[in-house]
Amino acid sequence: MIYQKLGETGCKVSRVGLGTWAMGGDFWGSVTEQQAIATVRSALDRGINLVDTAPAYGKGRAERLVGRAIQGRRDEVVLATKIGLVWEGGMRHCLAPETLAGQLEASLMRLQVETVDLLQIHWPDPQTPLEDTLTELERLQRAGKFRYLGVSNFDLPLLQEALSKGSVVSVQNEYSLLCRAPEALMPLCEREGVTLMGYGSLAGGMLTGKYRGMPEERYDRRVKFYPYFKQPHLGRALRTVEALEKAARERGVLPAQMAIAWTLAHQHTVALAGAKTPEQVRSNAKAAELTLSAAEMDGLISFPDE
Ligand SMILES: NC(=O)c1ccc[n+]([C@@H]2O[C@H](COP(=O)([O-])OP(=O)(O)OC[C@H]3O[C@@H](n4cnc5c(N)ncnc54)[C@H](OP(=O)(O)O)[C@@H]3O)[C@@H](O)[C@H]2O)c1
């Protein structure tokens, strides 16, 4: 495994991190408890120390399973969770300062830890001034509830605002061959020493090459979040998959590994790849050591939507 600094901190994270959204069991088809725990432990066995979860994944299920999986191995993990999505009837954004201590305490209980390493604002909350949220989070940080603060799903102006008001070490946004929007954040991340944590490196599984779209009767809810499984995005996704398959054959690796490696070309980036099984995580971990040439990088992009 290859490691890099988290922001400008002394904390080292694996360049490939484990994403645990699928372990919520509500969005991605079923993942048994046993399977989820084995997957997290297998990540640690492969040197993946960055484990990313959130209260929203299965309304606490993923956090609970991560908590069980890391029992006795807490010191091997850079534990990242999130705050600011609450379920009350449906999911809603909530960064109101008076709710944050309670939200975080519930995560700590589910994870069975005293403190998390990285707490990330999951989504912006347009109803709450960012400054009020950051002030309360700083208080919780000083109280030892988490070590470092990150943000997620922030665009450039919002990231600039967050950086001007507090100490932010990472930004977690969707980043893959099919979603390159975070490249607009990279110059700022480089200047300010902020880690770009790319999620959906496999575009929800599309870039593994095992999907050629999804027939309507088999849609699981991931299709609502990652639009690449159907038109108008499917055509570009399939052309990218073909390019990945060809390049992967030439290198003797798998398309998924090639896709993850592509997101790691920028030195301030780490990739979060979700996995449901130990086999998937073992395969994804290998991408950290795969370096693509400029020609390989270029050969994988520039397919327009239809
Ligand atoms: N901050 C946010 O708002 C946000 C949003 C989304 C995700 N995230 C984080 O980022 C993580 C990664 O993104 P993601 O899980 O959404 O999507 P992803 O990593 O692009 O795709 C993960 C899915 O691809 C399939 N897969 C993974 N490795 C594979 C392999 N080696 N071979 C074959 N199939 C493989 C698995 O599903 P199947 O086997 O069912 O195909 C897996 O669940 C999440 O788990 C979560 O921690 C954060």
Side-chain angles (χ1 to χ4, degrees):
M1 182 46 61
I2 308 220
Y3 301 87
Q4 73 179 53
K5 272 193 308 186
L6 175 63
E8 291 296 326
T9 73
C11 175
K12 291 270 175 72
V13 290
S14 49
R15 290 208 79 199
V16 174
L18 173 66
T20 65
W21 188 5
M23 295 175 194
D26 58 347
F27 234 85
W28 298 73
S30 86
V31 179
T32 66
E33 292 188 3
Q34 202 181 26
Q35 202 183 338
I37 290 169
T39 302
V40 175
R41 290 186 179 155
S42 151
L44 302 184
D45 293 342
R46 292 287 143 157
I48 291 182
N49 68 353
L50 175 61
V51 177
D52 178 76
T53 188
Y57 302 160
K59 298 182 183 161
R61 184 181 191 253
E63 281 189 331
R64 269 191 290 274
L65 291 172
V66 168
R68 282 168 56 192
I70 64 172
Q71 286 297 302
R73 301 184 73 169
R74 177 69 183 91
D75 56 349
E76 294 173 53
V77 187
V78 176
L79 184 56
T81 192
K82 310 192 187 79
I83 195 161
L85 264 189
V86 295
W87 54 93
E88 291 165 347
M91 277 291 168
R92 73 178 179 86
H93 300 166
C94 178
L95 292 171
E98 64 279 10
T99 69
L100 297 176
Q103 290 189 46
L104 181 51
E105 217 47 64
S107 283
L108 294 175
M109 276 184 59
R110 285 188 290 266
L111 290 161
Q112 301 182 56
V113 295
E114 303 276 305
T115 186
V116 288
D117 300 304
L118 179 66
L119 181 69
Q120 302 156 103
I121 293 177
H122 203 151
W123 285 89
D125 171 8
Q127 308 304 323
T128 308
L130 184 57
E131 187 159 3
D132 296 355
T133 302
L134 292 177
T135 303
E136 173 62 359
L137 287 178
E138 266 164 35
R139 189 186 71 76
L140 295 170
Q141 189 174 23
R142 278 197 305 277
K145 302 293 180 186
F146 67 94
R147 289 168 70 201
Y148 306 114
L149 180 66
V151 296
S152 175
N153 299 301
F154 273 35
D155 62 11
L156 187 59
L158 209 49
L159 179 59
Q160 272 162 333
E161 187 185 338
L163 285 168
S164 72
K165 292 187 170 135
S167 168
V168 171
V169 303
S170 59
V171 55
Q172 185 183 134
N173 283 10
E174 185 183 353
Y175 184 45
S176 76
L177 273 161
L178 297 178
C179 177
R180 298 178 59 195
E183 288 172 10
L185 308 182
M186 283 179 179
L188 179 65
C189 288
E190 207 161 311
R191 263 196 323 277
E192 300 287 336
V194 172
T195 297
L196 173 64
M197 211 169 266
Y199 71 69
S201 319
L202 297 170
M206 188 72 203
L207 295 177
T208 62
K210 69 182 176 187
Y211 296 108
R212 291 289 183 272
M214 235 181 227
E216 199 127 355
E217 64 277 12
R218 278 194 44 214
Y219 278 179
D220 50 39
R221 290 167 71 196
R222 85 179 76 181
V223 178
K224 295 207 174 97
F225 191 84
Y226 294 111
Y228 316 110
F229 294 88
K230 53 185 181 179
Q231 296 299 6
H233 302 290
L234 180 63
R236 177 168 77 101
L238 289 178
R239 281 193 294 282
T240 306
V241 166
E242 274 162 31
L244 274 171
E245 286 172 335
K246 179 169 174 292
R249 256 195 318 275
E250 283 163 12
R251 282 294 286 268
V253 298
L254 294 170
Q257 294 165 337
M258 208 77 189
I260 296 169
W262 185 89
T263 70
L264 292 176
H266 194 279
Q267 58 167 353
H268 285 276
T269 311
V270 299
L272 290 177
K276 291 166 131 175
T277 63
E279 293 71 34
Q280 289 183 349
V281 87
R282 280 196 286 271
S283 172
N284 297 344
K286 291 186 187 148
E289 280 156 49
L290 181 63
T291 306
L292 306 190
S293 68
E296 283 172 321
M297 296 281 300
D298 290 347
L300 296 175
I301 53 178
S302 75
F303 303 103
D305 275 342
E306 296 184 321

